[in-house]
Amino acid sequence: MMLDQVVLVAAVTVLGMMEQAYFSLKVIYARRKHSVSPPATTGPPEFERVFRAQANCSEYFPIFIFSLWVAGVFFSQALAALFGILYLYGRYLYFHGYAESAQGRLEPLYFSAKMQWALIAQSGLGVVCSLTHAYLGLDLMHSVTHL
Amino acid sequence: MMLDQVVLVAAVTVLGMMEQAYFSLKVIYARRKHSVSPPATTGPPEFERVFRAQANCSEYFPIFIFSLWVAGVFFSQALAALFGILYLYGRYLYFHGYAESAQGRLEPLYFSAKMQWALIAQSGLGVVCSLTHAYLGLDLMHSVTHL
Amino acid sequence: MMLDQVVLVAAVTVLGMMEQAYFSLKVIYARRKHSVSPPATTGPPEFERVFRAQANCSEYFPIFIFSLWVAGVFFSQALAALFGILYLYGRYLYFHGYAESAQGRLEPLYFSAKMQWALIAQSGLGVVCSLTHAYLGLDLMHSVTHL
Ligand SMILES: N[C@@H](CCC(=O)N[C@@H](CS)C(=O)NCC(=O)O)C(=O)O
Ligand SMILES: N[C@@H](CCC(=O)N[C@@H](CS)C(=O)NCC(=O)O)C(=O)O
Ligand SMILES: N[C@@H](CCC(=O)N[C@@H](CS)C(=O)NCC(=O)O)C(=O)O
């Protein structure tokens, strides 16, 4: 595998790690602001929403990165990177929406969930094409990626 | 690296992501059923067991996928995919066992823990063989993978 | 990609998985010692600190591994493995420091955070060099890695 065949998804990965670091810093500030010292994880609703927003984004982060890479390698790097950027943008809105109100998390959640499903679908499609190519000798991949 | 050298572990990765998405949907349904609105994470024991079952599976998901890929690339793709499928099956039983009772999580937990340790052992063995090959010129890998 | 171009970061990945498994076992022992049965996650402060120490390490584990691999593939495998080992050592101190007192987690946290930022910086630098190489034809990579 050549580096330039994965450099776009690697770039989105780096952006994603920076976003996660940013969410973590926000939790640290919220802990200070609302005086919620570890190991406590409960406190005023304002704190708990920030805490849960980061926890929720962290929970899905590995799934996001795995789907980004499998889609990028087995389906289309450019498409995976595009949906990846949109996912990260949706998660940014989710974090800030959730920090404001529980209701505020919903719209961006639906958006980023759609981007996540799109990446999983691309991963699944790419893998199925590769499997049929490797084990049945059919080149579906060629037809699908040239849509 | 050729795509068909990793397509089986990629397929297990896609299955794993779909399983995680399924667990998340189950938490969302349990939140509705037991009226536990975010950011709350506590409620009736029935809810908390579903919530924790998904949290526990999410916590181990990255470790599982990393061990699957390192074992698949450095040891044996077919074996890694096999243990990977069994792990995911064990996690399915864990989730539903835990949702029913705390006791119900134990048997499938022991099973999936064994699959996880097997994958870590295969990763470790594969990496040690590769290290000795790269730095000492000994081809242990050849002998081990031809057992 | 040849296996020996990633075998060092794969080795650090295996060590990291073993460290995470060790932290999990510590939580299981703490649950027994302090009689905190799942799905409960609260109990005496001694338990909660062990529980949160493992939760915090798990939360950052994927970010750590992704940055390790992107830095190792796009920047320098030897440097990534070195900072990776130091990160894991810092997390070991963090876990035991946090288990003793909330204050005890801070010094090792700052240390492992620095290692984590170094890996993200190396990832970012490596990816930017690869992007400029792939799309602009400039070989910054060559100059940077030969500093
Ligand atoms: N861990 C999540 C799993 C399901 C999920 O992602 N839920 C969405 C929609 S209810 C969410 O925004 N959860 C808020 C949260 O995790 O705090 C949860 O507890 O809700
Ligand atoms: N985060 C886990 C780490 C250790 C673990 O995996 N424990 C197993 C056996 S006690 C489990 O099923 N935990 C239930 C849970 O995480 O809710 C915990 O809190 O227990
Ligand atoms: N989930 C973390 C995110 C931010 C973080 O990593 N905080 C550091 C410095 S306050 C920590 O050691 N947190 C302790 C913990 O997670 O229990 C938190 O709740 O604090």
Side-chain angles (χ1 to χ4, degrees):
Chain A
M1 193 173 294
M2 308 283 291
L3 286 193
D4 55 358
Q5 292 179 295
V6 289
V7 66
L8 290 181
V9 293
V12 175
T13 303
V14 173
L15 286 180
M17 297 190 296
M18 290 168 67
E19 183 171 80
Q20 286 297 123
Y22 165 77
F23 294 158
S24 288
L25 291 175
K26 285 282 189 184
V27 176
I28 294 175
Y29 296 146
R31 281 189 176 282
R32 284 200 200 134
K33 188 172 166 196
H34 302 284
S35 310
V36 182
S37 302
T41 57
T42 49
E46 291 75 35
F47 168 75
E48 293 194 0
R49 290 200 308 271
V50 172
F51 176 80
R52 285 301 312 166
Q54 186 260 353
N56 193 282
C57 294
S58 298
E59 189 175 297
Y60 290 97
F61 188 62
I63 303 175
F64 165 62
I65 298 291
F66 296 142
S67 63
L68 175 74
W69 281 79
V70 175
V73 169
F74 287 89
F75 192 71
S76 153
Q77 188 187 200
L79 265 189
L82 177 67
F83 281 90
I85 293 276
L86 292 173
Y87 176 88
L88 292 178
Y89 175 64
R91 278 298 181 171
Y92 181 86
L93 299 179
Y94 174 85
F95 185 88
H96 288 284
Y98 201 171
E100 292 223 336
S101 71
Q103 181 65 28
R105 82 185 193 291
L106 288 178
E107 220 190 298
L109 179 74
Y110 298 144
F111 175 75
S112 60
K114 272 177 217 148
M115 300 303 110
Q116 178 61 82
W117 279 114
L119 284 171
I120 294 180
Q122 291 166 37
S123 304
L125 210 52
V127 163
V128 166
C129 291
S130 255
L131 277 173
T132 53
H133 186 59
Y135 296 98
L136 303 179
L138 297 176
D139 200 356
L140 300 177
M141 183 61 111
H142 185 80
S143 355
V144 172
T145 57
H146 287 73
L147 283 185
Chain B
M1 193 172 295
M2 307 284 290
L3 286 194
D4 54 358
Q5 293 180 295
V6 289
V7 67
L8 290 180
V9 293
V12 176
T13 303
V14 173
L15 287 180
M17 296 189 297
M18 290 169 67
E19 183 171 79
Q20 285 298 123
Y22 166 76
F23 294 157
S24 288
L25 292 175
K26 285 282 187 184
V27 176
I28 295 175
Y29 296 146
R31 283 189 175 281
R32 284 200 200 134
K33 187 172 165 197
H34 301 285
S35 310
V36 181
S37 302
T41 58
T42 50
E46 292 74 35
F47 168 75
E48 293 194 0
R49 288 199 309 271
V50 172
F51 176 80
R52 285 300 313 166
Q54 186 259 353
N56 193 282
C57 294
S58 297
E59 189 175 296
Y60 290 98
F61 188 62
I63 304 176
F64 165 62
I65 298 290
F66 297 142
S67 63
L68 175 74
W69 281 79
V70 176
V73 169
F74 286 90
F75 192 70
S76 153
Q77 187 187 199
L79 266 188
L82 177 68
F83 281 91
I85 293 276
L86 292 173
Y87 175 88
L88 292 177
Y89 175 63
R91 278 298 181 171
Y92 181 85
L93 299 178
Y94 173 85
F95 185 88
H96 288 285
Y98 201 170
E100 292 224 336
S101 71
Q103 181 66 27
R105 83 185 192 291
L106 288 178
E107 221 190 299
L109 180 73
Y110 298 143
F111 175 75
S112 61
K114 272 177 216 148
M115 299 305 109
Q116 178 61 82
W117 279 113
L119 285 170
I120 294 180
Q122 290 165 36
S123 304
L125 210 51
V127 163
V128 166
C129 290
S130 255
L131 278 174
T132 53
H133 186 59
Y135 295 99
L136 303 178
L138 296 177
D139 200 355
L140 299 178
M141 183 61 110
H142 185 80
S143 354
V144 172
T145 57
H146 286 74
L147 284 185
Chain C
M1 193 173 293
M2 308 284 290
L3 286 194
D4 55 357
Q5 292 179 297
V6 289
V7 66
L8 291 180
V9 294
V12 176
T13 302
V14 174
L15 286 180
M17 296 189 297
M18 290 170 67
E19 183 170 79
Q20 285 299 121
Y22 165 77
F23 294 158
S24 288
L25 291 175
K26 285 282 188 183
V27 176
I28 294 175
Y29 295 147
R31 282 189 175 282
R32 284 199 200 135
K33 189 173 164 195
H34 301 285
S35 309
V36 182
S37 302
T41 57
T42 49
E46 292 73 35
F47 168 75
E48 293 194 359
R49 289 199 308 272
V50 172
F51 175 80
R52 286 300 312 166
Q54 186 259 353
N56 194 282
C57 294
S58 297
E59 189 174 295
Y60 290 97
F61 188 61
I63 303 177
F64 165 62
I65 298 291
F66 297 142
S67 63
L68 176 74
W69 280 79
V70 176
V73 169
F74 287 90
F75 193 70
S76 153
Q77 187 187 200
L79 266 188
L82 177 68
F83 281 89
I85 294 276
L86 292 172
Y87 175 88
L88 292 178
Y89 175 64
R91 279 298 181 170
Y92 181 85
L93 299 178
Y94 173 86
F95 185 88
H96 288 284
Y98 200 171
E100 292 224 335
S101 72
Q103 182 65 28
R105 83 187 193 290
L106 288 177
E107 221 190 298
L109 179 73
Y110 298 144
F111 175 75
S112 61
K114 272 177 218 150
M115 300 304 110
Q116 179 60 83
W117 278 115
L119 284 170
I120 294 180
Q122 290 166 36
S123 304
L125 210 51
V127 163
V128 165
C129 291
S130 254
L131 277 174
T132 54
H133 185 60
Y135 295 98
L136 303 179
L138 295 177
D139 199 356
L140 298 177
M141 184 60 110
H142 184 83
S143 355
V144 172
T145 56
H146 286 71
L147 283 185

